Amino acid sequence: MSTQSANQYPPAVVPDRLFDEAETEARWRARFHAPRISVPDWARDAPDRCVYVSNSSGVWEVYAWNRATGEHRRVTDRPNGTMHATPSPDGEWIWWFDDTDGDEFGSWVREPFAATEGSKPEKAVPDVHDGYPAGLEIGTGLIAVGVSTDDGSELFARIDGETHRFYSHADDAGITSLSRDESLIAISHSEHGDSRHPALRILATDGFATVADKWDGEGKALSALEFSPLPGDQRLLVLHERRGREELLVWDVRADTETEIELDLPGEVVAGWYPDARALLVVHFHEGRSSLYRYDLDAAELSSVDTPAGRIGGAGVRPDGTVEYSWSSAAEPAAVRARTTDGADAVLLSPPGDRAPGSEPLTDAFVEGVGGRIHALVSRPSGAPDGPLPTVFSLHGGPHAADEDRFSAYRATWLDAGFAVVEVNYRGSTGYGSAWRDAIEGRPGLTELEDVASVHDWAVQSGLSDPKKCVVNGASWGGYLSLLALGTQPARWAAGVAGVPVADYVAAYEDEMEQLRSFDRALFGGSPDDVPAVYAECSPITYVDAVTAPVLVLAGDNDPRCPIRQIENYLDRLGGRELHHEFYRYDAGHGSLVIAETIKQTSIEVNFAQRALGLR
């Protein structure tokens, strides 16, 4: 069935340039074009063989790095880019996920780390059907791969050349970790009906009998991080939320004992093992910023791995104890750094090309709302005049995510254009405790917008924002919130920008990937058939006739998360009204990995807001 609409929608304006000043125009584009790189992922038994992703070619692709020779090689070359890759433990193979035009539906393929002429990627597990990825663990004698489709979740293991389906369920499940000796496999499941708060099961790989189950009860997730890196050590590092926030515990599966790790830190944490399994590398998140710590398991002592205030974008510990991590702040572009055991800290990798121009630091705002204190991150353009400014309220996706003190070429462009930027970590955001994250259950969208309204009131009353020049924007869940805000809070907004949004929630539920349907059932309290009134109350299309501000919508043809048909339903309704709206449609999925496309979309958004506010 074709999802193409017969209707033609008003096309978005694609400006030739955003700024009249050549220097400003060059600067904002340079931030996007500047090469970026992820923290390298090294092969467990051949740590000189590494894999990373980079945009150096203008598209996010997979690269191989042989540390012994210093050679870097681009592995993938696909029109819409590639983001998911990992080396095999022996370093002989690179695995990457092969989908079609960003639709996220496909299979894992592999190719030799040391490429030879004529070598081509091959399907890594030939007798596992295509689907959405649901976990991957590569051992030396066992490979475990998870697949999600409209029929639910299936988990497979390939042993001695034979593939076994060892688990299937209609609800969401996935592979999370494989023990070092490959005798145990941990899976995440939601057989209890709540994929937002999964349970854990440990299976023996010599027949896939259940060794242990662990579930903390309703509303309390358990997430397996990784088994100990030592052979014979059956301890599993787990994330729990028994005390109302995400914390760590070590579960000795064979002994059936567990040790909760209580850290005297505000906020929430995640962690991984040091190679000797005697310590953990802890990433701590609190109020939009992250930091690194080492936790000694024997001494139960926490020590800081000193990093400046900002965001840790990934971290790991090399066999020699060196911590490699990515760091950035709102003002400083990201860099991949290495901190040795003697405390020396230096840039590890500098991709070819010029470093991105910097931007402005941000400040914190704490605003009292109906559901508690709301944290917002505020950026003000350099050299801005005194008095209220045009302001973009940029709402993050997820909803289970958070805005952070990190470098963003996107945010910097709005600042260059003279807008203040306010990022709201509304209820539903992570990092502020379980109750804050789960407060949107049963009333998603509308709950978050209560917090956005409180921050909007603060921004106007504090003199930061011009009440007649406030723009709401976001992508994914942020795009959904933007459309919902335009319909339920029309007096607050002079314009709205919604990227890859949920616009018609019932139609979105019908067309989206099953993993998201499972998530929505947990979030809304059931399917649209179970709780139709909740979906109607929380769907932007319900309020489309109340929208008064100009609207820009951007969407990808192959998006499995926010499918195109439900967006067209919303646009069809807008088309019946004399309301200015524009639509930009592109050939990719839930966003683009092509830098030129990202630049194009950013210019469309900023130019639209400038025109809507009479600034251009």
Side-chain angles (χ1 to χ4, degrees):
M1 180 183 70
S2 174
T3 60
Q4 299 294 316
S5 171
N7 291 346
Q8 296 296 314
Y9 306 112
V13 173
V14 183
D16 293 331
R17 56 191 298 133
L18 271 179
F19 302 101
D20 295 331
E21 302 82 3
E23 182 180 349
T24 308
E25 180 69 15
R27 184 174 65 241
W28 85 266
R29 291 177 179 271
R31 291 195 191 97
F32 285 96
H33 282 300
R36 286 167 282 165
I37 193 170
S38 69
V39 177
D41 180 16
W42 53 87
R44 184 191 68 201
D45 301 325
D48 280 342
R49 294 193 165 193
C50 300
V51 172
Y52 61 87
V53 295
S54 175
N55 68 338
S56 297
S57 69
V59 181
W60 283 97
E61 296 286 8
V62 178
Y63 288 75
W65 175 29
N66 188 327
R67 293 189 189 220
T69 65
E71 178 189 6
H72 294 258
R73 175 178 70 87
R74 189 168 77 179
V75 176
T76 56
D77 185 6
R78 303 197 303 153
N80 286 293
T82 315
M83 280 296 285
H84 302 293
T86 189
S88 60
D90 59 10
E92 293 298 315
W93 297 92
I94 296 174
W95 289 53
W96 52 272
F97 193 77
D98 184 21
D99 66 351
T100 303
D101 296 328
D103 67 357
E104 303 181 49
F105 192 93
S107 62
W108 289 96
V109 299
R110 67 174 193 169
E111 59 183 274
F113 184 92
T116 57
E117 187 175 351
S119 62
K120 295 181 179 179
E122 62 185 32
K123 191 167 184 178
V125 188
D127 43 0
V128 171
H129 60 80
D130 288 358
Y132 301 107
L136 172 70
E137 288 290 321
I138 308 171
T140 56
L142 180 149
I143 295 164
V145 59
V147 178
S148 174
T149 66
D150 285 347
D151 295 324
S153 302
E154 295 175 279
L155 309 181
F156 300 87
R158 187 167 181 82
I159 307 172
D160 297 330
E162 294 187 5
T163 301
H164 313 266
R165 189 183 75 169
F166 65 87
Y167 180 91
S168 64
H169 198 273
D171 222 320
D172 197 31
I175 291 161
T176 54
S177 189
L178 180 67
S179 65
R180 178 65 173 82
D181 61 10
E182 301 178 23
S183 66
L184 299 176
I185 189 164
I187 71 169
S188 171
H189 71 85
S190 50
E191 294 172 5
H192 53 290
D194 182 359
S195 67
R196 296 176 62 252
H197 303 95
L200 287 179
R201 179 168 298 153
I202 311 299
L203 305 173
T205 59
D206 61 352
F208 299 101
T210 297
V211 174
D213 274 304
K214 191 177 288 290
W215 182 47
D216 279 349
E218 184 176 349
K220 296 180 179 179
L222 286 170
S223 303
L225 298 176
E226 56 182 351
F227 275 103
S228 162
L230 299 181
D233 186 349
Q234 310 291 22
R235 291 178 298 166
L236 179 65
L237 185 60
V238 176
L239 206 60
H240 73 91
E241 47 185 316
R242 295 169 180 173
R243 289 181 288 272
R245 59 176 180 155
E246 292 185 331
E247 298 179 274
L248 301 167
L249 66 83
V250 176
W251 179 19
D252 189 326
V253 176
R254 288 296 186 189
D256 194 24
T257 60
E258 62 177 47
T259 303
E260 292 186 7
I261 299 172
E262 298 188 41
L263 304 175
D264 187 20
L265 295 171
E268 297 184 338
V269 297
V270 70
W273 296 92
Y274 270 73
D276 61 5
R278 300 183 65 179
L280 303 175
L281 181 65
V282 178
V283 182
H284 169 235
F285 178 82
H286 179 56
E287 294 180 349
R289 295 167 183 85
S290 44
S291 51
L292 289 175
Y293 291 86
R294 182 183 188 275
Y295 181 77
D296 186 303
L297 289 164
D298 295 331
E301 291 180 352
L302 187 71
S303 57
S304 175
V305 179
D306 293 332
T307 57
R311 183 207 186 218
I312 305 298
V317 187
R318 295 278 294 170
D320 65 358
T322 297
V323 175
E324 296 182 352
Y325 65 99
S326 176
W327 176 89
S328 76
S329 70
E332 294 291 327
V336 175
R337 306 186 64 87
R339 187 178 184 86
T340 58
T341 54
D342 62 4
D345 195 308
V347 173
L348 173 69
L349 279 178
S350 296
D354 294 331
R355 182 173 167 82
S359 186
E360 303 303 316
L362 51 76
T363 58
D364 300 282
F366 296 95
V367 179
E368 290 303 320
V370 295
R373 191 181 73 158
I374 308 153
H375 179 213
L377 303 172
V378 180
S379 305
R380 189 178 172 90
S382 176
D386 294 336
L389 297 171
T391 304
V392 57
F393 289 75
S394 188
L395 309 182
H396 67 72
H400 297 346
D403 280 315
E404 303 173 78
D405 186 355
R406 65 176 182 88
F407 190 76
S408 167
Y410 179 77
R411 182 202 302 119
T413 305
W414 286 99
L415 293 172
D416 285 350
F419 287 83
V421 178
V422 178
E423 297 165 290
V424 184
N425 282 335
Y426 48 72
R427 277 173 288 171
S429 301
T430 51
Y432 301 86
S434 304
W436 188 261
R437 182 201 62 210
D438 292 344
I440 67 174
E441 289 181 356
R443 193 171 174 265
L446 299 174
T447 303
E448 299 94 304
L449 290 180
E450 289 177 343
D451 295 342
V452 174
S454 295
V455 174
H456 178 268
D457 287 342
W458 165 85
V460 171
Q461 292 164 8
S462 69
L464 171 70
S465 302
D466 183 338
K468 296 181 180 180
K469 295 181 180 179
C470 290
V471 179
V472 62
N473 93 331
S476 190
W477 195 263
Y480 158 63
L481 293 178
S482 295
L483 291 184
L484 193 60
L486 290 172
T488 61
Q489 304 170 341
R492 293 184 181 276
W493 310 111
V497 176
V500 290
V502 176
D504 175 354
Y505 224 121
V506 173
Y509 181 91
E510 293 170 354
D511 294 351
E512 69 191 5
M513 58 203 300
E514 171 55 32
Q515 289 156 312
L516 286 184
R517 284 201 290 266
S518 180
F519 181 91
D520 284 341
R521 289 192 295 272
L523 185 60
F524 281 77
S527 71
D529 289 337
D530 300 324
V531 287
V534 180
Y535 280 84
E537 182 187 20
C538 299
S539 180
I541 202 168
T542 300
Y543 309 97
V544 66
D545 292 335
V547 176
T548 58
V551 186
L552 169 67
V553 178
L554 306 92
D557 272 326
N558 309 311
D559 190 345
R561 298 173 181 268
C562 299
I564 194 72
R565 180 176 69 96
Q566 53 92 25
I567 293 172
E568 290 177 328
N569 291 347
Y570 186 90
L571 293 169
D572 288 341
R573 290 281 300 275
L574 276 182
R577 303 180 54 214
E578 292 185 3
L579 178 73
H580 183 80
H581 62 286
E582 298 177 13
F583 180 51
Y584 178 73
R585 184 173 189 153
Y586 58 94
D587 183 19
H590 198 61
S592 177
L593 301 178
V594 179
I595 303 307
E597 178 63 30
T598 303
I599 290 173
K600 182 179 181 181
Q601 292 184 28
T602 301
S603 68
I604 289 170
E605 293 185 25
V606 176
N607 177 267
F608 172 83
Q610 290 173 323
R611 289 184 287 112
L613 271 58
L615 304 177
R616 177 176 289 274

